[in-house]
Amino acid sequence: MSDSIYLGIEFGSTRIKAVLIDQACTVLAQGAHTWENRLVDGYWTYGLDEVWSGVQAAYAELAQAYERAAGHKLTRLDGIGISAMMHGYLAFSEAGDLLVPFRTWRNTTTGPASEALSAALEFPIPQRWSIAHLYQAVLNREPHVAQIARLTTLAGYVHAKLTGEDVLGVGEASGMFPIDAAVRDWDQARLETAQRLLDEAASGVDLAAVLPRVAEAGAPAGVLTPAGAALLDPSGRLEPGARFAPPEGDAGTGMVATNAVAPRTGNISVGTSVFAMVTLEHPLACVHPEIDLVTTPDGAGVAMVHCNNGASEIDAWATVFGQFAARAGHPLDNQAVFGALFGAALDGAADGGGLLAYNYLAGEPVTRLDEGRPLVVRTPDSTLSLPNLARVLIMSGFATLSLGMRILADEGVRVDTLVGHGGVFATPGVAQRLLAAALDVPITVGATASEGGAWGMAVLAAYAGDGHGLSLPAYLDRVVFAGAERTTLDPDAADVAGYRAFLAAFEKALPLQATATGVC
């Protein structure tokens, strides 16, 4: 077996994670850094200085872990891949200056642009997409628009700083602007339509010129420059020259991490947001504003149900219970708190016992809400207990996803199984079982479920280094996941019935969200 080593880095919403693997895609070392978005002047953002201090901290932790395990320092990498939360808006001048603070996927400030573009392009353009952010800035007559020379995503920005190459993987690119599935590149007809809109608004933006080059999985995408090596590892130990995979978004790396890139497969990623990716056998018959049409890292068509709000509210409640335990004189670490909370959920009533929760920390386009308010409400005759509360908190994390997936089911989209990944699946059999009930489909979880996108990006780096002449689906089947341990849970009939009752109440009470935004 080759001693080649590959690094995957992913900029998630709450953690920057680095994973080092060998040619067999076995994890050799890991590192991480915690960060958090901030609401500044009405926009969710991260500072670019935080990008670099964070990735340097994650890489340093990984390098130390590698040295302890291998007995020597990490000085050389064969391949690297950069991944990050998709979408958003990073606009740069010709001199490379950031023109406005980074606007992340979490912002719901582009409604007029989203509607106008969706109608003109005859293609769903969600508020998160980069083109929606750009066109909204044009409609708002923001002064910086005239200076835009380059538009990219967070993954594309980091990749360019490390390699000097302005390129995106096709899956990541598909969250900026529509992709033509036939050529795995920007949709030229829709580019022309969008350009007409920009010209009519006298924007001065040449859309084709400011967008990055698009590359499929396995294609070369540059090498680590001396400046990039120093930026990633300020200690000076890391040598330049490592080959780069095309940078990808967290949706694409999640599909890789769960071996869900072939038709009739799909995955569910649960983090700050929650989204489902289903690889399509055929195009959808209708345009649905709730459904993103994106691609896998090798360019296959994907229907994406993206919900802005995921597990953050569960995390908040876990913090509360951890604080209670500490004050009671029995401090628990996070793993123990989550274990107790999730374990209790299985003892709750199937429908939540009359409790109702909303995990809406931010606006939610799927349910057409520009703002969110986390809520827990109950009927007077409900049973307020730890099992019921824990169960409802988990079920609410999947509720909006259920509404979006219902649209795909009505379109005739079928999947054999969905693979879950993310930290909520670290407690065996709990989130997996409730998700199976929410979607009424078998849910599979593998050994890499909690590794997530950083590992998936490292796998894409290994594929770019030596894909054995295989397609990406074949490479994952034959090289990465051959013999992989997985568990699949089928939906339980009682759980499904209970979840449907909960979801009906959740949907009926959605006006509470609009009311709450006006009073708190």
Side-chain angles (χ1 to χ4, degrees), residues 149-481:
R150 185 166 69 93
L151 187 66
T152 192
T153 64
L154 180 56
Y157 161 72
V158 175
H159 180 95
K161 292 289 285 186
L162 297 179
T163 67
E165 298 283 340
D166 186 19
V167 60
L168 286 184
V170 64
E172 173 75 338
S174 69
M176 288 193 77
F177 190 85
I179 293 291
D180 182 343
V183 297
R184 283 6 187 212
D185 205 342
W186 305 119
D187 187 315
Q188 292 301 312
R190 290 189 168 99
L191 269 180
E192 293 173 5
T193 300
Q195 187 63 58
R196 285 197 296 272
L197 293 178
L198 294 172
D199 292 343
E200 289 169 2
S203 70
V205 174
D206 182 344
L207 185 56
V210 302
L211 289 174
R213 175 172 65 87
V214 179
E216 294 180 46
V223 298
L224 182 65
T225 63
L231 192 54
L232 185 57
D233 180 18
S235 74
R237 297 189 186 96
L238 181 60
E239 301 170 2
R243 298 182 300 272
F244 269 75
E248 270 297 342
D250 51 358
T253 55
M255 298 189 84
V256 170
T258 53
N259 193 17
V261 298
R264 292 184 69 93
T265 67
N267 79 308
I268 308 287
S269 176
V270 184
T272 301
S273 62
V274 56
F275 53 85
M277 306 284 287
V278 178
T279 306
L280 298 171
E281 295 179 284
H282 49 75
L284 300 183
C286 302
V287 172
H288 301 280
E290 303 88 350
I291 307 297
D292 291 22
L293 297 178
V294 292
T295 80
T296 63
D298 62 339
V302 171
M304 178 184 188
V305 180
H306 185 287
C307 308
N308 276 4
N309 300 281
S312 294
E313 185 67 357
I314 300 173
D315 293 345
W317 279 94
T319 298
V320 169
F321 286 118
Q323 292 170 345
F324 176 82
R327 284 185 174 267
H330 302 284
L332 299 173
D333 61 23
N334 284 341
Q335 184 176 357
V337 172
F338 275 102
L341 189 61
F342 275 53
L346 294 185
D347 295 326
D351 64 354
L355 277 64
L356 189 61
Y358 291 90
N359 64 329
Y360 288 2
L361 285 161
E364 189 54 78
V366 172
T367 48
R368 296 175 174 79
L369 291 165
D370 291 334
E371 293 184 64
R373 293 294 186 272
L375 294 174
V376 174
V377 296
R378 62 192 183 96
T379 59
D381 60 346
S382 64
T383 302
L384 179 58
S385 65
L386 178 62
N388 283 346
L389 177 61
R391 191 179 186 103
V392 163
L393 289 172
I394 297 171
M395 290 198 300
S396 74
F398 302 141
T400 308
L401 180 71
S402 301
L403 299 176
M405 291 295 287
R406 191 166 65 191
I407 296 170
L408 292 184
D410 291 343
E411 273 266 8
V413 174
R414 299 291 179 262
V415 291
D416 296 322
T417 185
L418 289 168
V419 183
H421 78 115
V424 299
F425 298 105
T427 303
V430 181
Q432 183 181 8
R433 173 176 158 181
L434 296 181
L435 182 57
L439 303 182
D440 197 12
V441 66
I443 301 296
T444 297
V445 174
T448 59
S450 61
E451 297 292 349
W455 181 78
M457 192 66 239
V459 170
L460 286 172
Y463 179 65
D466 181 10
H468 303 279
L470 300 171
S471 67
L472 181 60
Y475 176 79
L476 295 177
D477 278 339
R478 300 178 195 178
V479 177
V480 181
F481 288 94

